[in-house]
Amino acid sequence: MDAKELHSLTLTAAKVRSLALDAVFAASSGHIGGSLSVADILTVLYFHTMKVDPADPTAPGRDRLVLSKGHTSPALYAALALKGFFPQEELKLFRSIQGHFSGHPDMVHVKGVDMSTGSLGQGISAAVGMALAGKLDKKDYRVYAVLGDGEIEEGQVWEAAMAAAKYHLDNFCAIVDVNGLQIDGATADVMPSEPLDKKFESFNWHVLKVDGHDIEAIAAALDKAATLKDKPTVILAKTVKGKGVSFMENDAGWHGKAPNAEQYEKARAELAAVLEKLEKEGK
Ligand SMILES: Cc1ncc(C[n+]2csc(CCOP(=O)(O)OP(=O)(O)O)c2C)c(N)n1
């Protein structure tokens, strides 16, 4: 990746974080912690990896993305707005009865959303079905599913993992946002799932590991996944829940809580400082 693309992706990820924070504050509800941890992953997927066209959101040959950890819709909606699927101003209607941006992704009403999700574990199963359909139809699109490390405590995830291996879905890539926290504490305390690499390997998957905030590493892993044959690939992305807002980082209390006005101003200022610096560097 050249320096220009790296700068552009870093700037876009910073915008995703800011827009997600604004949406959650405007709605006074929503899941900010996991939106901040997944921002870099979604940015690389939409702005480096996937073949999608905002002017033709349901094109049959497009790559598909299923945000299986659907509660982090603020980051998904922000990435889709920045990509041009709909105007950024509409994000103010997040979780509002006046708008159509539900708290969890809605494929009927929001352009660019490939699957309605929110019930953890189900998204990956739908994504496996999409990848299997691609194989049966001899299409060359790829399917991506983004999961949380709390989510993979759901048994259904492992049924989907078995099916993806059974059908040799090398057109399928799951990315796990391993931030170590879920709704009310550490994943290691709620239901330990490590070692994830060995689990996926034993389910017959290719396994890659990255720092989930290293844009270049995420892009390289996704590029590599597209070349791996015969089995599905999982990318285990180590992240920080609440990444980018000092007082939200590594705190499960920010899983599904909106900041108050004072907290919002502090968070906004931190994210704005990063944006401003990146914008200056780009000139
Ligand atoms: C089937 C199901 N059970 C419970 C929930 C409630 N819930 C929402 S988010 C969450 C924790 C998810 O943790 P993780 O996947 O690690 O998400 P992240 O930390 O990335 O936000 C839970 C239990 C749900 N949405 N679906």
Side-chain angles (χ1 to χ4, degrees):
M1 174 180 302
D2 62 23
K4 196 167 166 224
E5 186 185 7
L6 177 59
H7 178 268
S8 163
L9 291 172
T10 308
L11 183 62
T12 303
K15 289 180 183 169
V16 167
R17 289 195 165 88
S18 287
L19 288 173
L21 177 79
D22 290 350
V24 170
F25 178 67
S28 295
S29 75
H31 295 80
I32 190 62
S35 293
L36 294 172
S37 67
V38 83
D40 299 301
I41 296 166
L42 290 179
T43 299
V44 176
L45 279 163
Y46 277 109
F47 292 84
H48 171 82
T49 306
M50 289 171 55
K51 283 182 282 156
V52 288
D53 178 3
D56 191 4
T58 56
R62 75 192 186 286
D63 290 339
R64 275 96 167 140
L65 186 144
V66 176
L67 183 65
S68 200
K69 47 168 253 172
H71 56 283
T72 57
S73 59
L76 176 65
Y77 294 155
L80 292 174
L82 289 163
K83 188 77 185 171
F85 282 93
F86 45 82
Q88 280 176 47
E89 298 75 61
E90 291 187 11
L91 294 173
K92 288 187 196 123
L93 297 175
F94 177 58
R95 286 186 175 230
S96 158
I97 196 77
Q98 319 298 336
H100 46 247
F101 295 94
S102 309
H104 296 77
D106 175 346
M107 67 189 285
V108 176
H109 297 102
V110 183
K111 277 190 193 154
V113 173
D114 288 315
M115 179 51 61
S116 300
T117 51
S119 185
L120 297 171
Q122 295 185 358
I124 183 175
S125 302
V128 166
M130 291 176 189
L132 179 56
K135 286 274 178 197
L136 294 173
D137 291 343
K138 302 202 179 343
K139 302 278 193 230
D140 66 359
Y141 65 75
R142 292 184 57 75
V143 182
Y144 299 90
V146 178
L147 295 96
D149 58 343
E151 176 179 15
I152 61 171
E153 295 166 353
E154 291 281 351
Q156 182 171 352
V157 170
W158 300 100
E159 295 178 46
M162 278 190 283
K166 168 179 171 166
Y167 293 108
H168 304 277
L169 300 182
D170 51 15
N171 58 346
F172 183 59
C173 179
I175 301 103
V176 186
D177 177 356
V178 186
N179 61 33
L181 297 173
Q182 61 128 301
I183 197 166
D184 52 7
T187 48
D189 294 333
V190 179
M191 183 55 73
S193 51
E194 294 290 352
L196 279 176
D197 50 356
K198 293 201 170 62
K199 282 200 174 72
F200 275 102
E201 266 159 28
S202 71
F203 273 68
N204 249 332
W205 284 53
H206 297 291
V207 179
L208 302 173
K209 288 182 180 185
V210 292
D211 171 344
H213 302 304
D214 180 336
I215 300 250
E216 277 184 296
I218 301 167
L222 286 164
D223 290 349
K224 179 160 187 201
T227 68
L228 297 175
K229 297 293 169 216
D230 198 42
K231 302 174 189 181
T233 297
V234 65
I235 299 175
L236 301 173
K238 185 82 194 73
T239 59
V240 172
K241 197 154 176 165
K243 176 75 178 175
V245 175
S246 57
F247 62 91
M248 291 184 181
E249 289 191 357
N250 291 315
D251 181 353
W254 288 104
H255 170 79
K257 185 175 72 170
N260 63 27
E262 195 185 323
Q263 291 162 332
Y264 169 68
E265 280 314 322
K266 190 164 184 278
R268 204 182 59 86
E270 288 187 19
L271 296 177
V274 174
L275 262 178
E276 205 178 308
K277 185 168 172 278
L278 286 164
E279 269 159 3
K280 263 194 207 139
E281 281 168 11
K283 280 184 186 147

